[in-house]
Amino acid sequence: HYIEPSDTLNLTSMVYFSKFHRNWFKLKDVEDDTTKVSLSNAIAAGGSHLDVLKGNEAGTLNYRNNNRNYQQFGVQTAANVKFNIGTIEHDLTAGVRLHNDHVHRNQQNESFVQDNNGFITDHTNSAPGSGGRREQETEALSLWVEDKIDFGKLTVIPGIRFEHLDMDYTEASKGADHSGSMDAYAGGVGALYELTETTTLFAGVHKGISTPRPKAYLTGGIEEEESISTEVGFRYNTQDGALFVESTYFYTELDDLIVIDNIGGTGSGDTENAGNIVSHGLEFTLQYDVGIANNKSYNNPYYIVATLTNAEFDGDSSSEDSESNF
């Protein structure tokens, strides 16, 4: 709903729900007469396991149905009020959100036995959950406030966001049952200054967060990823809108970069805090509208966009996982 009790106050609320099911069937590992190895090792090491993959030797191909359900729902409401304190104009927004998201995996193993000619001679379909039965759930409370303060030529926009997350993780096949909570903050301030009617200067410093999923946080000790982003630049726009130029310098520091599992090695690695990153560079945009510039009845805009980026990873990974790319 959208409610506007007055010209200076409005309230907006929404309820949302989403559900998604996914099941992908993949080859997990390979067996010869004596041993079982992962798919990547069978390809890399060669020998009898690679011959099984090629269908030139008897063995067993072990597959997995990665059967998973994802669901999220919540309710959010926000209020916006405009008011003046003396000659200073305020445009204040505050909101709250209650959110729940849930992941349930009920994976199932299947095996195919082949002879030395590559013909499938037997098939075993294990029970649902044989490949792992796991549930992860997060309930989150979010609170935020932002104010757009207009001093005339100068506009300042401070804001802050608070997140409280209650997390649960269970894995029936391993008898695992964990729960816990975490708090996280994000926020920053931006500023715009109208140098002339056609030129605006802007700058901002903001903190960002990315929280780990329940299993990684509760059993792996993974910390939230944090970033500090700084930018400064200018915009030039002719009054008729024919020419627009923008240039921005940005500098971003990321701490405890979160890298999810299934990256590197056999894809069975754990989520990890990979380390810290510094990324900085320059963005440039030029737009010119031939139609407007020549007083035509049509628009004919052309764009040039370029970005120069330098990023450095410090290599100080906290991971002890031998499969990790980091």
Side-chain angles (χ1 to χ4, degrees), residues 151-291:
F151 295 92
K153 289 190 174 184
L154 174 65
T155 301
V156 180
I157 309 172
I160 189 169
R161 182 183 185 93
F162 167 74
E163 298 262 357
H164 175 78
L165 295 88
D166 291 317
M167 301 181 182
D168 291 289
Y169 161 69
T170 60
E171 189 165 3
S173 59
K174 296 182 179 180
D177 190 357
H178 303 273
S179 62
S181 62
M182 69 178 301
D183 295 329
Y185 300 85
V189 59
L192 299 167
Y193 184 76
E194 295 181 7
L195 192 62
T196 66
E197 292 185 353
T198 58
T199 305
T200 302
L201 305 179
F202 62 87
V205 179
H206 294 87
K207 176 186 177 182
I209 55 172
S210 178
T211 56
R213 56 185 175 180
K215 180 178 184 293
Y217 177 69
L218 297 172
T219 67
I222 303 302
E223 300 294 331
E224 67 267 29
E225 176 185 308
E226 297 182 335
S227 66
I228 299 294
S229 299
T230 305
E231 66 175 9
V232 60
F234 76 91
R235 298 186 184 101
Y236 175 79
N237 196 0
T238 57
Q239 292 183 344
D240 61 2
L243 176 65
F244 173 80
V245 180
E246 179 177 290
S247 183
T248 309
Y249 173 76
F250 61 90
Y251 185 92
T252 302
E253 292 183 327
L254 292 99
D255 295 330
D256 294 324
L257 174 72
I258 293 177
V259 180
I260 63 172
D261 60 6
N262 294 330
I263 295 181
T266 63
S268 59
D270 295 324
T271 297
E272 60 192 89
N273 287 125
N276 303 327
I277 289 176
V278 172
S279 176
H280 62 98
L282 185 67
E283 294 180 347
F284 177 79
T285 301
L286 172 65
Q287 175 185 333
Y288 183 69
D289 195 308
V290 177

Side-chain angles (χ1 to χ4, degrees), residues 48 50-59 114-119:
S48 61
L50 183 58
D51 289 334
V52 173
L53 273 179
K54 292 180 176 180
N56 296 328
E57 185 172 321
Q114 72 177 26
D115 62 19
N116 55 14
N117 292 313
F119 293 106

